[in-house]
Amino acid sequence: MIKTDVDIDVKDRDKVLEKLKHIPASIIQNGEIKKHNTGVYFTDIPTHPFTNSANIDYKEAEDRGYFKLDFLNVGVYEKVKDEKHLIELINQEPNWSLLDHKEIVEGLFHIHNHFDIVSKLKPKSVEELAAVLAIIRPAKRHLLNVSWPEIHSKVWVKPEDNTYYFKKSHAVGYALAICVQLNLLSNAIV
């Protein structure tokens, strides 16, 4: 069975979901079933009669063939005017030297607590920034003190011991979101 993990980043998940018929996913924590923070189903799934959330844990639901989507609130998009503006920001080369400033990194999505890693690796491309996002995770932390060629050859290899790691698709997506933030900052300064 193919396992999936699809995240959809939006400015306001509640506004999006109020327009779409969906069933909130559930998660079992400490033996109690609770509403999943971000997951939803767009197909029929057994639901709890009082909560109207899925009646089975999202992992069990996936094993049974149900497909969950995670809708995530991402504040990065608050200053993006529209799709055209977003595409312009994505296509604009960021001022990578902004990552040399701790106060700027502290305001960036996903890397705000990792200035030490960002300043050591000094990413200069989306791919390098994605690798930094992966190295922040435990499974790839050992790559912090190696060369970029070695990082590129090992960073996307799935760990054998199931230690938490970042998949390339997630890392590149989040790296692009950080680039959008950097470009919004650069454009505000100009």
Side-chain angles (χ1 to χ4, degrees):
M1 171 179 286
I2 296 175
K3 299 282 186 177
T4 59
D5 184 14
V6 177
D7 293 344
I8 300 173
D9 298 339
V10 295
K11 183 181 353 182
D12 186 336
R13 80 182 294 275
D14 293 333
K15 280 187 178 180
V16 171
L17 291 175
E18 73 184 19
K19 297 175 182 177
L20 301 170
K21 183 180 178 198
H22 67 282
I23 298 169
S26 294
I27 185 170
I28 295 178
Q29 293 177 328
N30 301 323
E32 186 178 331
I33 194 160
K34 298 179 179 182
K35 183 177 168 187
H36 192 280
N37 286 335
T38 61
V40 298
Y41 299 99
F42 293 105
T43 57
D44 287 333
I45 187 169
T47 57
H48 189 280
F50 300 117
T51 66
N52 291 321
S53 295
N55 204 26
I56 53 177
D57 180 79
Y58 75 100
K59 291 178 185 175
E60 182 180 342
E62 183 176 49
D63 290 342
R64 292 185 187 187
Y66 293 101
F67 186 79
K68 174 180 69 68
L69 295 172
D70 291 310
F71 280 76
L72 308 170
N73 281 325
V74 179
V76 170
Y77 301 118
E78 289 177 9
K79 294 183 180 172
V80 175
K81 299 171 195 164
D82 52 32
E83 184 178 356
K84 181 180 179 223
H85 186 219
L86 178 61
I87 291 168
E88 289 170 1
L89 292 166
I90 288 172
N91 289 331
Q92 179 183 338
E93 185 69 20
N95 177 353
W96 296 106
S97 68
L98 291 173
L99 296 177
D100 296 335
H101 303 279
K102 185 175 184 177
E103 63 279 1
I104 289 177
V105 172
E106 287 175 342
L108 297 174
F109 183 62
H110 265 282
I111 59 173
H112 55 91
N113 289 330
H114 302 285
F115 177 74
D116 55 333
I117 294 172
V118 173
S119 64
K120 181 174 181 114
L121 293 174
K122 299 189 180 305
K124 301 286 185 230
S125 69
V126 171
E127 188 171 337
E128 288 180 359
L129 184 56
V132 167
L133 287 161
I135 291 168
I136 288 169
R137 274 66 192 176
K140 300 299 176 171
R141 186 63 63 104
H142 68 279
L143 297 174
L144 182 58
N145 296 308
V146 301
S147 67
W148 274 114
E150 189 172 349
I151 290 170
H152 290 308
S153 71
K154 296 179 179 177
V155 72
W156 308 121
V157 177
K158 183 177 180 179
E160 292 180 18
D161 64 358
N162 289 326
T163 306
Y164 179 60
Y165 78 108
F166 230 27
K167 295 176 185 170
K168 186 174 184 178
S169 58
H170 281 103
V172 170
Y174 288 141
L176 287 171
I178 293 168
C179 290
V180 166
Q181 275 188 293
L182 287 172
N183 289 331
L184 284 166
L185 281 169
S186 292
N187 295 347
I189 295 169
V190 174

